[in-house]
Amino acid sequence: MSVQTWTWIIVGITFTLYFGIAIWARAGSTKEFYIAGGGVSPLANGMATAADWMSAASFISMAGLISFMGYDGGVYLMGWTGGYVLLALLLAPYLRKFGKFTVPDFIGDRYYSNTARTVAVFCALIVSFTYVAGQMRGVGIVFSQFLQVQIHIGVIIGMCVVLFFAFLGGMKGITYTQVAQYCVLIFAFMVPAIFISFNMTGNPVPQIGMGGTLENGSYLLDTLDDLHTKLGFSEYTSGSKSTWDVFAITCALMVGTAGLPHVIVRFFTVAKVRDARKSAGLALLFIAILYTTAPAVAVFARTNLIETVSEKKYSDIPEWFKNWENTGLIAWADKNNDGKIQYVAGNALEGKKPIFTNARGSNGERILENASMKTNNELYVDRDIMVLANPEIANLPNWVIALVAAGGLAAALSTAAGLLLVISTSVSRDLIKMQLRPNISEKSELMVARGSILVAVVIAGIFGIYPPGFVAAVVALAFGLAAASFFPAIILGIFDKRMNREGAIAGMVVGISLMLFYMIRYKTGLIGVMDPRPASEWWFGTSPEGFGTIAMLVNFVVSMVVSRLTPAPPQHVQDIVENIRIPSGAGKATH
Amino acid sequence: MSGKKAKEYWSKNLRYLAILLSIWFVVSYGCGILFVDELNNFRLGGFKLGFWFAQQGSIYVFVVLIFVYVKWMNKLDKEYGFDEE
């Protein structure tokens, strides 16, 4: 059977499963809608957290990014797992004990202030929207690949599907769909990895195969280092970023992980404090399975890619190459007219994305308008396709290729649904119920929640169609924003009894503004107003992805100074702090 | 609950956190980033050691750390009678 047929079958089966679960677990009350009723088992919550967490970026982009970054890719691996240690040790148990529905709930009560709550809501919205934009893009890429349509049509299809889950099921539906999605995505990620690892190194465990030897007896990683050096790239196992920048990015990603509202909220859904701790551990275990495999996949993919294309004739190149070229994610310009692909260091293009004319060249390739004549590199490969194309590059059976498409969809959809829920909760509960209309009935609150999901999906879709960069790069900025805003306010709220309203608000506002400023100035620019400034002007050589670390430190300092200059929090708040430090008597989460 | 008991419980909790987070820092930022070049002079099979810590080892340690924490805290809760039914 063809890849196309297999894809239809596997995606069809998995989607039927998700829809079935979504209908079975639809939410009837706000409590079910927001926190799945509060009785999810640690195991189910661990899987759901893992699926919620492992997004299109983890599944589709991360291994690809790493395969182009080499050692530097470690920032994502450590950053996106190490945060769970912080989450398990510093946040999850206490927030569960506190027993509310959302992060702004905690901020609002702990800092006895609706202003603080509002600031937290806006931070949650900014973080979640930045993050969800990346997810919609990922959904679009996968759909466009297997339906052979334009990416923006893929995004629109994805929007409709996500809307269905989130709309119907709320947190309850999402949680149980995510358990299923975790199983699909991890299976889909592991099967090709195991195949390729076995084919290349004779060892079926990718984590070990990565350090194994090839048929000719030399170590895989050494071979890859040699290939890289020969083609003019820097050695795979050593990085090109500065030590400080690697440090800053890793830290921002870790702290951001622990501060992401859609991750934190998962720990409100378990019954007890000890369940919250345990499910954080399980979540990381489930995540680690993919995260320790991804760097292996990166090495396999990189080696395979170089060996398949380098110095090969375009006319002899396998079918997958031309398919991806048709979607615009691979481009080749025969600069020296030898009909062979030269893949060496340097940008193949002027600008970031290929621009094609409608014509075909003498070898049948799509003609590029913006091939750069300054370098000898003829090949442009979009980082996002590495995982999706990997099974094809490695010549795996068609059903494996189809499985990867289903896994990518599971990853993107589960995360997007979780994020959209946080967005709608922020609006329906934290803004409308807690502030604007406290007397709203449960039924209307549910309606508002569902309505805001609809609006959020549309906005997210627009971001997905006009994305500001690679999927993972956009997502990385959401972490900086979370690190710069929530993390200090929550940590200080638990560990510093003296922290007060003034300090927390000042810290959050300064932190997120600074991060936004830096991000716009050096990464995204403002469309029509200014372009991003070059890397040479970065403060202390800190990239926008790593700047969350600095913004977080500034947040901490501002919070501490301001809180010590203003009155201590009232006694009942200090009692709350005493209380959340003790696990017993957590009870059920309440309004 | 008595304030003294709660205080003692909390300071033990903080000590556990200090131990676990130090290990967390050393394996990731230490072995994986700051001293990666030094460690890369050593090898673990086909891996350079520093590279292995950055892309594999630190993640394994993270998982272990959380489960150690879960174990310690469950014991501590019981010791102080703060465990839930």
Side-chain angles (χ1 to χ4, degrees):
Chain A
M1 273 193 284
S2 71
V3 176
Q4 195 81 356
T5 322
W6 271 115
T7 311
W8 280 107
I9 295 174
I10 294 179
V11 171
I13 293 173
T14 53
F15 271 57
T16 314
L17 180 69
Y18 307 152
F19 284 126
I21 295 172
I23 291 168
W24 163 73
R26 63 186 178 277
S29 67
T30 48
K31 190 167 174 184
E32 287 185 340
F33 195 89
Y34 292 141
I35 57 167
V40 179
S41 77
L43 184 71
N45 191 51
M47 282 195 190
T49 310
D52 205 331
W53 174 243
M54 290 190 289
S55 53
S58 296
F59 190 94
I60 302 169
S61 303
M62 191 176 67
L65 266 179
I66 297 170
S67 80
F68 286 84
M69 292 167 79
Y71 161 79
D72 289 342
V75 298
Y76 296 116
L77 296 166
M78 288 189 283
W80 285 340
T81 53
Y84 275 83
V85 179
L86 297 177
L87 194 64
L89 272 54
L90 301 178
L91 302 176
Y94 310 106
L95 290 175
R96 173 61 196 89
K97 174 68 195 294
F98 182 72
K100 287 291 172 71
F101 285 174
T102 66
V103 175
D105 255 350
F106 173 79
I107 304 272
D109 286 9
R110 167 62 182 81
Y111 296 114
Y112 46 98
S113 153
N114 264 338
T115 314
R117 191 190 306 271
T118 312
V119 173
V121 171
F122 279 104
C123 294
L125 289 176
I126 295 174
V127 171
S128 304
F129 268 119
T130 315
Y131 205 123
V132 85
Q135 304 314 312
M136 296 316 291
R137 181 77 180 166
V139 175
I141 289 176
V142 183
F143 270 115
S144 72
Q145 167 60 13
F146 95 83
L147 296 175
Q148 305 286 327
V149 292
Q150 296 286 316
I151 285 185
H152 68 265
I153 298 186
V155 172
I156 293 169
I157 300 174
M159 280 163 62
C160 300
V161 177
V162 170
L163 192 62
F164 181 80
F165 294 142
F167 204 76
L168 202 61
M171 191 59 150
K172 191 174 167 207
I174 287 175
T175 302
Y176 292 106
T177 346
Q178 280 170 338
V179 172
Q181 283 164 336
Y182 174 76
C183 299
V184 172
L185 84 86
I186 201 70
F187 186 69
F189 199 83
M190 295 309 291
V191 167
I194 290 169
F195 260 109
I196 297 172
S197 178
F198 188 72
N199 284 349
M200 285 180 81
T201 67
N203 194 319
V205 184
Q207 287 85 344
I208 301 174
M210 178 186 176
T213 51
L214 297 171
E215 258 169 48
N216 61 18
S218 57
Y219 283 120
L220 172 61
L221 282 167
D222 294 345
T223 311
L224 183 55
D225 276 346
D226 287 346
L227 281 175
H228 262 224
T229 321
K230 234 183 278 165
L231 298 175
F233 297 103
S234 67
E235 225 178 38
Y236 188 83
T237 53
S238 21
S240 50
K241 286 185 196 296
S242 73
T243 302
W244 160 246
D245 205 27
V246 170
F247 191 100
I249 296 176
T250 308
C251 181
L253 294 179
M254 282 194 188
V255 174
T257 300
L260 281 178
H262 76 282
V263 176
I264 294 177
V265 75
R266 296 239 52 110
F267 297 95
F268 295 121
T269 64
V270 294
K272 294 180 235 158
V273 171
R274 60 181 294 169
D275 289 350
R277 294 181 194 135
K278 190 172 167 198
S279 81
L282 287 169
L284 182 58
L285 178 67
F286 293 136
I287 292 165
I289 297 174
L290 189 144
Y291 271 61
T292 51
T293 307
V297 170
V299 170
F300 303 146
R302 183 78 187 155
T303 314
N304 267 333
L305 175 74
I306 293 177
E307 287 182 340
T308 312
V309 302
S310 182
E311 295 299 327
K312 296 285 171 2
K313 276 204 178 122
Y314 181 86
S315 47
D316 298 342
I317 221 75
E319 195 55 34
W320 60 263
F321 188 97
K322 290 164 190 169
N323 287 344
W324 286 103
E325 191 184 5
N326 287 338
T327 54
L329 297 171
I330 282 182
W332 174 63
D334 195 9
K335 292 177 188 169
N336 57 356
N337 292 317
D338 65 351
K340 288 183 188 166
I341 297 168
Q342 269 83 39
Y343 181 42
V344 294
N347 270 340
L349 308 174
E350 301 280 0
K352 283 199 167 153
K353 301 266 165 195
I355 304 167
F356 296 98
T357 61
N358 283 327
R360 293 274 172 172
S362 53
N363 299 292
E365 80 274 19
R366 296 180 74 183
I367 299 271
L368 275 169
E369 259 177 26
N370 61 338
S372 161
M373 283 305 162
K374 283 181 241 148
T375 67
N376 294 324
N377 183 19
E378 300 181 342
L379 182 69
Y380 163 83
V381 182
D382 190 293
R383 280 117 181 94
D384 286 342
I385 71 169
M386 290 307 288
V387 165
L388 298 176
N390 199 24
E392 297 173 88
I393 299 176
N395 268 321
L396 294 185
N398 286 348
W399 65 268
V400 178
I401 301 167
L403 190 62
V404 170
L409 285 172
L413 291 174
S414 56
T415 307
L419 283 161
L420 289 167
L421 194 77
V422 166
I423 293 172
S424 86
T425 311
S426 300
V427 174
S428 66
R429 179 174 172 82
D430 298 322
L431 274 185
I432 297 191
K433 165 99 178 163
M434 300 303 287
Q435 305 200 30
L436 300 176
R437 290 203 26 216
N439 298 325
I440 190 170
S441 74
E442 176 149 331
K443 215 171 153 199
S444 342
E445 193 184 341
L446 268 178
M447 266 178 56
V448 175
R450 291 189 160 128
S452 35
I453 286 188
L454 184 66
V455 177
V457 167
V458 173
I459 300 177
I462 294 170
F463 276 129
I465 295 170
Y466 307 102
F470 298 131
V471 173
V474 183
V475 168
L477 294 174
F479 289 85
L481 293 167
S485 56
F486 287 123
F487 186 75
I490 301 175
I491 289 285
L492 292 170
I494 297 164
F495 289 87
D496 179 20
K497 229 194 296 177
R498 179 66 176 73
M499 184 48 57
N500 62 7
R501 175 176 59 195
E502 290 79 0
I505 296 175
M508 281 192 290
V509 170
V510 172
I512 202 158
S513 312
L514 188 61
M515 181 65 209
L516 277 175
F517 164 78
Y518 200 83
M519 182 177 133
I520 291 168
R521 188 168 169 83
Y522 294 104
K523 183 81 185 183
T524 62
L526 275 180
I527 299 158
V529 181
M530 58 170 273
D531 289 326
R533 308 292 305 158
S536 55
E537 294 179 16
W538 289 350
W539 301 357
F540 318 109
T542 316
S543 60
E545 287 78 10
F547 191 75
T549 303
I550 293 180
M552 171 194 72
L553 291 175
V554 171
N555 181 336
F556 267 115
V557 171
V558 169
S559 299
M560 293 303 283
V561 171
V562 172
S563 71
R564 293 314 188 262
L565 297 174
T566 43
Q571 192 56 43
H572 78 270
V573 170
Q574 303 203 20
D575 292 343
I576 294 181
V577 180
E578 290 286 344
N579 192 307
I580 57 174
R581 292 178 175 182
I582 307 293
S584 53
K588 293 262 194 289
T590 50
H591 283 263
Chain B
M1 73 201 64
S2 79
K4 188 161 166 263
K5 214 170 84 175
K7 228 175 225 151
E8 235 179 78
Y9 171 88
W10 185 245
S11 72
K12 277 203 179 156
N13 176 21
L14 290 183
R15 197 161 59 207
Y16 290 165
L17 294 186
I19 297 170
L20 296 170
L21 289 177
S22 313
I23 300 174
W24 167 83
F25 185 85
V26 168
V27 291
S28 50
Y29 296 94
C31 303
I33 299 175
L34 297 174
F35 300 108
V36 68
D37 294 333
E38 286 76 6
L39 287 177
N40 273 345
N41 294 325
F42 301 93
R43 292 188 72 112
L44 186 75
F47 293 102
K48 292 177 182 168
L49 191 57
F51 177 81
W52 181 80
F53 264 107
Q55 302 213 338
Q56 295 278 310
S58 53
I59 302 175
Y60 300 135
V61 178
F62 295 154
V63 176
V64 173
L65 285 178
I66 299 186
F67 282 104
V68 170
Y69 170 75
V70 170
K71 210 170 166 215
W72 285 359
M73 289 310 283
N74 285 347
K75 210 174 132 222
L76 193 67
D77 289 351
K78 223 174 230 147
E79 212 175 301
Y80 282 81
F82 290 144
D83 51 336
E84 303 155 279
E85 284 323 303

